[in-house]
mmCIF file with all atom_site columns, all heavy atoms in Angstrom:
data_model
loop_
_atom_site.group_PDB
_atom_site.id
_atom_site.type_symbol
_atom_site.label_atom_id
_atom_site.label_alt_id
_atom_site.label_comp_id
_atom_site.label_asym_id
_atom_site.label_entity_id
_atom_site.label_seq_id
_atom_site.pdbx_PDB_ins_code
_atom_site.Cartn_x
_atom_site.Cartn_y
_atom_site.Cartn_z
_atom_site.occupancy
_atom_site.B_iso_or_equiv
_atom_site.pdbx_formal_charge
_atom_site.auth_seq_id
_atom_site.auth_comp_id
_atom_site.auth_asym_id
_atom_site.auth_atom_id
_atom_site.pdbx_PDB_model_num
ATOM 1   N N   . THR A 1 170 ? -15.889 -9.710  4.082  1.00 98.00 ? 170 THR A N   1
ATOM 2   C CA  . THR A 1 170 ? -14.829 -10.670 4.387  1.00 98.00 ? 170 THR A CA  1
ATOM 3   C C   . THR A 1 170 ? -14.867 -11.844 3.415  1.00 98.00 ? 170 THR A C   1
ATOM 4   O O   . THR A 1 170 ? -15.910 -12.475 3.240  1.00 98.00 ? 170 THR A O   1
ATOM 5   C CB  . THR A 1 170 ? -14.975 -11.202 5.821  1.00 98.00 ? 170 THR A CB  1
ATOM 6   O OG1 . THR A 1 170 ? -14.929 -10.111 6.743  1.00 98.00 ? 170 THR A OG1 1
ATOM 7   C CG2 . THR A 1 170 ? -13.864 -12.192 6.150  1.00 98.00 ? 170 THR A CG2 1
ATOM 8   N N   . ALA A 1 171 ? -13.730 -12.110 2.791  1.00 98.00 ? 171 ALA A N   1
ATOM 9   C CA  . ALA A 1 171 ? -13.591 -13.286 1.934  1.00 98.00 ? 171 ALA A CA  1
ATOM 10  C C   . ALA A 1 171 ? -13.096 -14.433 2.801  1.00 98.00 ? 171 ALA A C   1
ATOM 11  O O   . ALA A 1 171 ? -12.025 -14.354 3.402  1.00 98.00 ? 171 ALA A O   1
ATOM 12  C CB  . ALA A 1 171 ? -12.605 -13.006 0.801  1.00 98.00 ? 171 ALA A CB  1
ATOM 13  N N   . ALA A 1 172 ? -13.888 -15.512 2.884  1.00 97.00 ? 172 ALA A N   1
ATOM 14  C CA  . ALA A 1 172 ? -13.534 -16.653 3.719  1.00 97.00 ? 172 ALA A CA  1
ATOM 15  C C   . ALA A 1 172 ? -13.261 -17.874 2.847  1.00 97.00 ? 172 ALA A C   1
ATOM 16  O O   . ALA A 1 172 ? -14.061 -18.207 1.970  1.00 97.00 ? 172 ALA A O   1
ATOM 17  C CB  . ALA A 1 172 ? -14.651 -16.949 4.713  1.00 97.00 ? 172 ALA A CB  1
ATOM 18  N N   . MET A 1 173 ? -12.151 -18.542 3.095  1.00 96.00 ? 173 MET A N   1
ATOM 19  C CA  . MET A 1 173 ? -11.727 -19.646 2.234  1.00 96.00 ? 173 MET A CA  1
ATOM 20  C C   . MET A 1 173 ? -12.660 -20.854 2.292  1.00 96.00 ? 173 MET A C   1
ATOM 21  O O   . MET A 1 173 ? -12.595 -21.733 1.442  1.00 96.00 ? 173 MET A O   1
ATOM 22  C CB  . MET A 1 173 ? -10.310 -20.081 2.566  1.00 96.00 ? 173 MET A CB  1
ATOM 23  C CG  . MET A 1 173 ? -9.256  -19.104 2.079  1.00 96.00 ? 173 MET A CG  1
ATOM 24  S SD  . MET A 1 173 ? -7.778  -19.918 1.452  1.00 96.00 ? 173 MET A SD  1
ATOM 25  C CE  . MET A 1 173 ? -7.198  -20.730 2.922  1.00 96.00 ? 173 MET A CE  1
ATOM 26  N N   . GLY A 1 174 ? -13.532 -20.896 3.290  1.00 94.00 ? 174 GLY A N   1
ATOM 27  C CA  . GLY A 1 174 ? -14.520 -21.954 3.343  1.00 94.00 ? 174 GLY A CA  1
ATOM 28  C C   . GLY A 1 174 ? -15.577 -21.839 2.273  1.00 94.00 ? 174 GLY A C   1
ATOM 29  O O   . GLY A 1 174 ? -16.425 -22.738 2.133  1.00 94.00 ? 174 GLY A O   1
ATOM 30  N N   . GLY A 1 175 ? -15.528 -20.739 1.505  1.00 95.00 ? 175 GLY A N   1
ATOM 31  C CA  . GLY A 1 175 ? -16.489 -20.543 0.421  1.00 95.00 ? 175 GLY A CA  1
ATOM 32  C C   . GLY A 1 175 ? -17.609 -19.600 0.771  1.00 95.00 ? 175 GLY A C   1
ATOM 33  O O   . GLY A 1 175 ? -18.723 -19.746 0.253  1.00 95.00 ? 175 GLY A O   1
ATOM 34  N N   . GLN A 1 176 ? -17.305 -18.614 1.628  1.00 97.00 ? 176 GLN A N   1
ATOM 35  C CA  . GLN A 1 176 ? -18.338 -17.656 2.027  1.00 97.00 ? 176 GLN A CA  1
ATOM 36  C C   . GLN A 1 176 ? -17.829 -16.219 1.904  1.00 97.00 ? 176 GLN A C   1
ATOM 37  O O   . GLN A 1 176 ? -16.627 -15.952 2.025  1.00 97.00 ? 176 GLN A O   1
ATOM 38  C CB  . GLN A 1 176 ? -18.787 -17.882 3.480  1.00 97.00 ? 176 GLN A CB  1
ATOM 39  C CG  . GLN A 1 176 ? -19.270 -19.272 3.805  1.00 97.00 ? 176 GLN A CG  1
ATOM 40  C CD  . GLN A 1 176 ? -18.161 -20.175 4.295  1.00 97.00 ? 176 GLN A CD  1
ATOM 41  O OE1 . GLN A 1 176 ? -17.165 -19.736 4.858  1.00 97.00 ? 176 GLN A OE1 1
ATOM 42  N NE2 . GLN A 1 176 ? -18.321 -21.477 4.056  1.00 97.00 ? 176 GLN A NE2 1
ATOM 43  N N   . ILE A 1 177 ? -18.767 -15.319 1.652  1.00 98.00 ? 177 ILE A N   1
ATOM 44  C CA  . ILE A 1 177 ? -18.522 -13.877 1.725  1.00 98.00 ? 177 ILE A CA  1
ATOM 45  C C   . ILE A 1 177 ? -19.399 -13.353 2.845  1.00 98.00 ? 177 ILE A C   1
ATOM 46  O O   . ILE A 1 177 ? -20.622 -13.502 2.806  1.00 98.00 ? 177 ILE A O   1
ATOM 47  C CB  . ILE A 1 177 ? -18.864 -13.172 0.405  1.00 98.00 ? 177 ILE A CB  1
ATOM 48  C CG1 . ILE A 1 177 ? -18.035 -13.736 -0.745 1.00 98.00 ? 177 ILE A CG1 1
ATOM 49  C CG2 . ILE A 1 177 ? -18.647 -11.664 0.533  1.00 98.00 ? 177 ILE A CG2 1
ATOM 50  C CD1 . ILE A 1 177 ? -18.487 -13.272 -2.118 1.00 98.00 ? 177 ILE A CD1 1
ATOM 51  N N   . VAL A 1 178 ? -18.784 -12.786 3.880  1.00 97.00 ? 178 VAL A N   1
ATOM 52  C CA  . VAL A 1 178 ? -19.513 -12.359 5.072  1.00 97.00 ? 178 VAL A CA  1
ATOM 53  C C   . VAL A 1 178 ? -19.669 -10.840 5.066  1.00 97.00 ? 178 VAL A C   1
ATOM 54  O O   . VAL A 1 178 ? -18.703 -10.102 4.851  1.00 97.00 ? 178 VAL A O   1
ATOM 55  C CB  . VAL A 1 178 ? -18.791 -12.816 6.350  1.00 97.00 ? 178 VAL A CB  1
ATOM 56  C CG1 . VAL A 1 178 ? -19.558 -12.375 7.581  1.00 97.00 ? 178 VAL A CG1 1
ATOM 57  C CG2 . VAL A 1 178 ? -18.615 -14.324 6.351  1.00 97.00 ? 178 VAL A CG2 1
ATOM 58  N N   . ILE A 1 179 ? -20.894 -10.384 5.310  1.00 97.00 ? 179 ILE A N   1
ATOM 59  C CA  . ILE A 1 179 ? -21.216 -8.958  5.348  1.00 97.00 ? 179 ILE A CA  1
ATOM 60  C C   . ILE A 1 179 ? -21.420 -8.543  6.798  1.00 97.00 ? 179 ILE A C   1
ATOM 61  O O   . ILE A 1 179 ? -22.282 -9.100  7.493  1.00 97.00 ? 179 ILE A O   1
ATOM 62  C CB  . ILE A 1 179 ? -22.503 -8.648  4.543  1.00 97.00 ? 179 ILE A CB  1
ATOM 63  C CG1 . ILE A 1 179 ? -22.439 -9.283  3.141  1.00 97.00 ? 179 ILE A CG1 1
ATOM 64  C CG2 . ILE A 1 179 ? -22.738 -7.153  4.469  1.00 97.00 ? 179 ILE A CG2 1
ATOM 65  C CD1 . ILE A 1 179 ? -21.355 -8.752  2.260  1.00 97.00 ? 179 ILE A CD1 1
ATOM 66  N N   . THR A 1 180 ? -20.639 -7.555  7.274  1.00 97.00 ? 180 THR A N   1
ATOM 67  C CA  . THR A 1 180 ? -20.734 -7.082  8.656  1.00 97.00 ? 180 THR A CA  1
ATOM 68  C C   . THR A 1 180 ? -21.063 -5.600  8.675  1.00 97.00 ? 180 THR A C   1
ATOM 69  O O   . THR A 1 180 ? -20.461 -4.802  7.950  1.00 97.00 ? 180 THR A O   1
ATOM 70  C CB  . THR A 1 180 ? -19.409 -7.321  9.410  1.00 97.00 ? 180 THR A CB  1
ATOM 71  O OG1 . THR A 1 180 ? -19.095 -8.713  9.392  1.00 97.00 ? 180 THR A OG1 1
ATOM 72  C CG2 . THR A 1 180 ? -19.508 -6.864  10.848 1.00 97.00 ? 180 THR A CG2 1
ATOM 73  N N   . ASP A 1 181 ? -22.023 -5.225  9.510  1.00 97.00 ? 181 ASP A N   1
ATOM 74  C CA  . ASP A 1 181 ? -22.432 -3.832  9.687  1.00 97.00 ? 181 ASP A CA  1
ATOM 75  C C   . ASP A 1 181 ? -21.483 -3.176  10.688 1.00 97.00 ? 181 ASP A C   1
ATOM 76  O O   . ASP A 1 181 ? -21.381 -3.621  11.839 1.00 97.00 ? 181 ASP A O   1
ATOM 77  C CB  . ASP A 1 181 ? -23.873 -3.789  10.201 1.00 97.00 ? 181 ASP A CB  1
ATOM 78  C CG  . ASP A 1 181 ? -24.449 -2.379  10.254 1.00 97.00 ? 181 ASP A CG  1
ATOM 79  O OD1 . ASP A 1 181 ? -23.670 -1.401  10.253 1.00 97.00 ? 181 ASP A OD1 1
ATOM 80  O OD2 . ASP A 1 181 ? -25.681 -2.247  10.310 1.00 97.00 ? 181 ASP A OD2 1
ATOM 81  N N   . THR A 1 182 ? -20.783 -2.118  10.291 1.00 97.00 ? 182 THR A N   1
ATOM 82  C CA  . THR A 1 182 ? -19.822 -1.481  11.194 1.00 97.00 ? 182 THR A CA  1
ATOM 83  C C   . THR A 1 182 ? -20.499 -0.687  12.299 1.00 97.00 ? 182 THR A C   1
ATOM 84  O O   . THR A 1 182 ? -19.867 -0.391  13.323 1.00 97.00 ? 182 THR A O   1
ATOM 85  C CB  . THR A 1 182 ? -18.882 -0.540  10.419 1.00 97.00 ? 182 THR A CB  1
ATOM 86  O OG1 . THR A 1 182 ? -19.658 0.487   9.780  1.00 97.00 ? 182 THR A OG1 1
ATOM 87  C CG2 . THR A 1 182 ? -18.091 -1.294  9.364  1.00 97.00 ? 182 THR A CG2 1
ATOM 88  N N   . ALA A 1 183 ? -21.767 -0.333  12.131 1.00 96.00 ? 183 ALA A N   1
ATOM 89  C CA  . ALA A 1 183 ? -22.476 0.419   13.170 1.00 96.00 ? 183 ALA A CA  1
ATOM 90  C C   . ALA A 1 183 ? -22.702 -0.444  14.408 1.00 96.00 ? 183 ALA A C   1
ATOM 91  O O   . ALA A 1 183 ? -22.687 0.054   15.541 1.00 96.00 ? 183 ALA A O   1
ATOM 92  C CB  . ALA A 1 183 ? -23.811 0.934   12.638 1.00 96.00 ? 183 ALA A CB  1
ATOM 93  N N   . THR A 1 184 ? -22.892 -1.749  14.185 1.00 96.00 ? 184 THR A N   1
ATOM 94  C CA  . THR A 1 184 ? -23.174 -2.663  15.284 1.00 96.00 ? 184 THR A CA  1
ATOM 95  C C   . THR A 1 184 ? -22.100 -3.726  15.458 1.00 96.00 ? 184 THR A C   1
ATOM 96  O O   . THR A 1 184 ? -22.070 -4.416  16.480 1.00 96.00 ? 184 THR A O   1
ATOM 97  C CB  . THR A 1 184 ? -24.517 -3.377  15.053 1.00 96.00 ? 184 THR A CB  1
ATOM 98  O OG1 . THR A 1 184 ? -24.432 -4.146  13.837 1.00 96.00 ? 184 THR A OG1 1
ATOM 99  C CG2 . THR A 1 184 ? -25.643 -2.358  14.925 1.00 96.00 ? 184 THR A CG2 1
ATOM 100 N N   . ASP A 1 185 ? -21.224 -3.852  14.465 1.00 97.00 ? 185 ASP A N   1
ATOM 101 C CA  . ASP A 1 185 ? -20.241 -4.935  14.407 1.00 97.00 ? 185 ASP A CA  1
ATOM 102 C C   . ASP A 1 185 ? -20.928 -6.298  14.516 1.00 97.00 ? 185 ASP A C   1
ATOM 103 O O   . ASP A 1 185 ? -20.430 -7.227  15.168 1.00 97.00 ? 185 ASP A O   1
ATOM 104 C CB  . ASP A 1 185 ? -19.166 -4.771  15.486 1.00 97.00 ? 185 ASP A CB  1
ATOM 105 C CG  . ASP A 1 185 ? -18.202 -3.638  15.157 1.00 97.00 ? 185 ASP A CG  1
ATOM 106 O OD1 . ASP A 1 185 ? -18.054 -3.313  13.967 1.00 97.00 ? 185 ASP A OD1 1
ATOM 107 O OD2 . ASP A 1 185 ? -17.605 -3.070  16.085 1.00 97.00 ? 185 ASP A OD2 1
ATOM 108 N N   . LYS A 1 186 ? -22.075 -6.404  13.866 1.00 94.00 ? 186 LYS A N   1
ATOM 109 C CA  . LYS A 1 186 ? -22.822 -7.645  13.790 1.00 94.00 ? 186 LYS A CA  1
ATOM 110 C C   . LYS A 1 186 ? -22.839 -8.146  12.344 1.00 94.00 ? 186 LYS A C   1
ATOM 111 O O   . LYS A 1 186 ? -22.899 -7.355  11.400 1.00 94.00 ? 186 LYS A O   1
ATOM 112 C CB  . LYS A 1 186 ? -24.268 -7.454  14.254 1.00 94.00 ? 186 LYS A CB  1
ATOM 113 C CG  . LYS A 1 186 ? -24.409 -6.951  15.683 1.00 94.00 ? 186 LYS A CG  1
ATOM 114 C CD  . LYS A 1 186 ? -23.998 -8.001  16.703 1.00 94.00 ? 186 LYS A CD  1
ATOM 115 C CE  . LYS A 1 186 ? -24.262 -7.520  18.115 1.00 94.00 ? 186 LYS A CE  1
ATOM 116 N NZ  . LYS A 1 186 ? -23.809 -8.513  19.131 1.00 94.00 ? 186 LYS A NZ  1
ATOM 117 N N   . ILE A 1 187 ? -22.788 -9.475  12.206 1.00 95.00 ? 187 ILE A N   1
ATOM 118 C CA  . ILE A 1 187 ? -22.882 -10.068 10.878 1.00 95.00 ? 187 ILE A CA  1
ATOM 119 C C   . ILE A 1 187 ? -24.307 -9.929  10.374 1.00 95.00 ? 187 ILE A C   1
ATOM 120 O O   . ILE A 1 187 ? -25.264 -10.273 11.067 1.00 95.00 ? 187 ILE A O   1
ATOM 121 C CB  . ILE A 1 187 ? -22.476 -11.550 10.907 1.00 95.00 ? 187 ILE A CB  1
ATOM 122 C CG1 . ILE A 1 187 ? -21.014 -11.693 11.367 1.00 95.00 ? 187 ILE A CG1 1
ATOM 123 C CG2 . ILE A 1 187 ? -22.642 -12.179 9.533  1.00 95.00 ? 187 ILE A CG2 1
ATOM 124 C CD1 . ILE A 1 187 ? -20.581 -13.125 11.570 1.00 95.00 ? 187 ILE A CD1 1
ATOM 125 N N   . ILE A 1 188 ? -24.448 -9.410  9.155  1.00 93.00 ? 188 ILE A N   1
ATOM 126 C CA  . ILE A 1 188 ? -25.757 -9.170  8.564  1.00 93.00 ? 188 ILE A CA  1
ATOM 127 C C   . ILE A 1 188 ? -26.157 -10.271 7.596  1.00 93.00 ? 188 ILE A C   1
ATOM 128 O O   . ILE A 1 188 ? -27.314 -10.686 7.541  1.00 93.00 ? 188 ILE A O   1
ATOM 129 C CB  . ILE A 1 188 ? -25.773 -7.809  7.830  1.00 93.00 ? 188 ILE A CB  1
ATOM 130 C CG1 . ILE A 1 188 ? -25.517 -6.683  8.823  1.00 93.00 ? 188 ILE A CG1 1
ATOM 131 C CG2 . ILE A 1 188 ? -27.093 -7.599  7.106  1.00 93.00 ? 188 ILE A CG2 1
ATOM 132 C CD1 . ILE A 1 188 ? -26.561 -6.550  9.899  1.00 93.00 ? 188 ILE A CD1 1
ATOM 133 N N   . LYS A 1 189 ? -25.177 -10.768 6.829  1.00 94.00 ? 189 LYS A N   1
ATOM 134 C CA  . LYS A 1 189 ? -25.539 -11.681 5.762  1.00 94.00 ? 189 LYS A CA  1
ATOM 135 C C   . LYS A 1 189 ? -24.330 -12.504 5.337  1.00 94.00 ? 189 LYS A C   1
ATOM 136 O O   . LYS A 1 189 ? -23.180 -12.110 5.560  1.00 94.00 ? 189 LYS A O   1
ATOM 137 C CB  . LYS A 1 189 ? -26.084 -10.904 4.560  1.00 94.00 ? 189 LYS A CB  1
ATOM 138 C CG  . LYS A 1 189 ? -26.916 -11.714 3.581  1.00 94.00 ? 189 LYS A CG  1
ATOM 139 C CD  . LYS A 1 189 ? -27.679 -10.804 2.640  1.00 94.00 ? 189 LYS A CD  1
ATOM 140 C CE  . LYS A 1 189 ? -28.636 -11.591 1.766  1.00 94.00 ? 189 LYS A CE  1
ATOM 141 N NZ  . LYS A 1 189 ? -29.409 -10.707 0.862  1.00 94.00 ? 189 LYS A NZ  1
ATOM 142 N N   . MET A 1 190 ? -24.603 -13.639 4.703  1.00 95.00 ? 190 MET A N   1
ATOM 143 C CA  . MET A 1 190 ? -23.573 -14.472 4.102  1.00 95.00 ? 190 MET A CA  1
ATOM 144 C C   . MET A 1 190 ? -23.947 -14.734 2.654  1.00 95.00 ? 190 MET A C   1
ATOM 145 O O   . MET A 1 190 ? -25.094 -15.065 2.350  1.00 95.00 ? 190 MET A O   1
ATOM 146 C CB  . MET A 1 190 ? -23.454 -15.796 4.850  1.00 95.00 ? 190 MET A CB  1
ATOM 147 C CG  . MET A 1 190 ? -22.467 -16.793 4.240  1.00 95.00 ? 190 MET A CG  1
ATOM 148 S SD  . MET A 1 190 ? -22.444 -18.371 5.139  1.00 95.00 ? 190 MET A SD  1
ATOM 149 C CE  . MET A 1 190 ? -24.058 -19.046 4.691  1.00 95.00 ? 190 MET A CE  1
#
Side-chain angles (χ1 to χ4, degrees):
T170 302
M173 286 218 297
Q176 305 91 27
I177 301 170
V178 180
I179 310 296
T180 301
D181 187 341
T182 60
T184 61
D185 287 335
K186 301 290 185 183
I187 299 174
I188 298 298
K189 200 166 187 179
M190 176 183 70

